Amino acid sequence: MTPSLPTPSRLRAEHVTLSYGTRDVVTDLSLAIPDGKVTVIVGANACGKSTLLRGLARLLAPTSGTVLLDGKSISEQPSRHVARTLGMLPQSPLAPEGITVRDLVARGRHPHQNWWQQWGDEDTVIVDDALRATDTLELADRDVDELSGGQRQRAWIAMAVAQNTDLLLLDEPTTYLDIAHQLEVLELVSTLNREHGRTVVMVLHDLNLACRYAHHIVAMRDGVIVAEGAPAEIVTPELLRDVFRVEGAVVVDPVTAAPVVLAHRIAVD
């Protein structure tokens, strides 16, 4: 049998432990993010999903192990270089009061500004392109705090797009949104990946949405990875029981061909 080739990956974790104070949340974890794909991290509450994303984004330094960006330790790379390579959208970000959508999106260009390279025509073009890509151009002059939940999320994603990075990390981008707005945001993310070549890593709570939009799923429990791979390969009744502690069935969506989870009851140990 021919050995499988390593996953091409610009962003990876090698034996990473992430902690808050003396409490380890992620333990000795290794992960390669597939380039050019949408990866979704799933798991029960408090399993370490968002903590892992923060570690990958250099918002939380490992207590041991290393996060590598383009083969080099991310912690040793200049902050401006990292910000030009990797964009991170945290949970429930807060916009300054009275800021317009265009001004918010323009903040994505800050990593590209310095004392000898101020705002230029290229920055304006990139901001306009980000507004178009996220279908927020018509909202550009509106205050962010006037927008609906879905519109606001699109504006924040537009800011991350304007940062013009190849890697985009999103922490629960559908939180507090109704199903229509969830689909709106995830369709946008899918378009950014498919048409603009972004490598995307997301944390999602909804396993069915993860199955529909992910190329690669990472399932976590208690700070470690218990399974990863294509949704159709790893999402099974056994995974539901091991990771989410529920009994259920997995069927195939007749429209998308993605796995669909039908949870029946809480699993009994």
Side-chain angles (χ1 to χ4, degrees):
M1 179 181 295
T2 302
S4 59
L5 296 175
T7 301
S9 178
R10 299 183 61 191
L11 181 64
R12 62 175 63 234
E14 293 188 351
H15 301 289
V16 163
T17 295
L18 298 164
S19 309
Y20 295 111
T22 59
R23 182 172 64 93
D24 292 344
V25 178
V26 170
T27 308
D28 193 28
L29 182 148
S30 295
L31 172 66
I33 301 298
D35 290 341
K37 305 293 185 182
V38 175
T39 294
V40 177
I41 305 170
V42 300
N45 289 345
C47 72
K49 302 184 299 294
S50 293
T51 299
L52 172 58
L53 203 69
R54 285 173 55 82
L56 292 173
R58 208 178 74 162
L59 298 178
L60 181 63
T63 53
S64 64
T66 308
V67 174
L68 298 174
L69 177 62
D70 292 329
K72 300 178 181 178
S73 172
I74 195 172
S75 64
E76 297 175 0
Q77 299 185 39
S79 297
R80 188 177 296 274
H81 171 75
V82 173
R84 289 176 175 179
T85 307
L86 183 153
M88 169 72 177
L89 184 60
Q91 292 182 41
S92 305
L94 296 175
E97 186 175 354
I99 192 171
T100 67
V101 170
R102 182 177 294 276
D103 288 340
L104 177 69
V105 176
R107 293 189 172 207
R109 301 304 300 155
H110 286 183
H112 303 271
Q113 309 295 310
N114 47 51
W115 67 269
W116 70 86
Q117 183 179 351
Q118 300 299 315
W119 189 274
D121 292 342
E122 181 183 7
D123 298 296
T124 300
V125 169
I126 290 172
V127 167
D128 285 345
D129 287 346
L131 290 165
R132 290 189 191 93
T134 55
D135 197 23
T136 52
L137 188 59
E138 64 181 25
L139 306 173
D141 296 324
R142 290 181 58 182
D143 285 353
V144 173
D145 53 15
E146 296 176 354
L147 304 180
S148 70
Q151 291 171 330
R152 190 177 299 115
Q153 285 293 78
R154 292 210 317 267
W156 280 106
I157 293 173
M159 185 193 74
V161 171
Q163 197 172 329
N164 206 27
T165 63
D166 296 329
L167 293 155
L168 187 58
L169 278 56
L170 307 172
D171 194 358
E172 298 186 26
T174 60
T175 298
Y176 307 126
L177 300 183
D178 61 34
I179 185 61
H181 286 135
Q182 290 178 33
L183 293 175
E184 181 180 79
V185 168
L186 293 175
E187 286 293 336
L188 165 60
V189 171
S190 181
T191 298
L192 291 173
N193 165 256
R194 185 177 61 254
E195 298 182 7
H196 300 270
R198 299 290 200 279
T199 296
V200 180
V201 188
M202 289 190 290
V203 169
L204 290 179
H205 274 299
D206 190 314
L207 185 55
N208 284 326
L209 289 176
C211 289
R212 178 171 176 175
Y213 288 98
H215 301 108
H216 189 80
I217 285 182
V218 176
M220 295 184 64
R221 183 187 64 205
D222 299 331
V224 300
I225 295 172
V226 296
E228 63 172 308
E233 295 174 355
I234 71 162
V235 178
T236 63
E238 291 75 23
L239 185 82
L240 299 182
R241 187 164 48 250
D242 292 345
V243 173
F244 297 95
R245 295 180 174 84
V246 297
E247 302 286 352
V250 179
V251 299
V252 177
D253 187 316
V255 176
T256 66
V260 175
V261 171
L262 304 175
H264 299 150
R265 59 185 178 273
I266 297 174
V268 178
D269 293 333

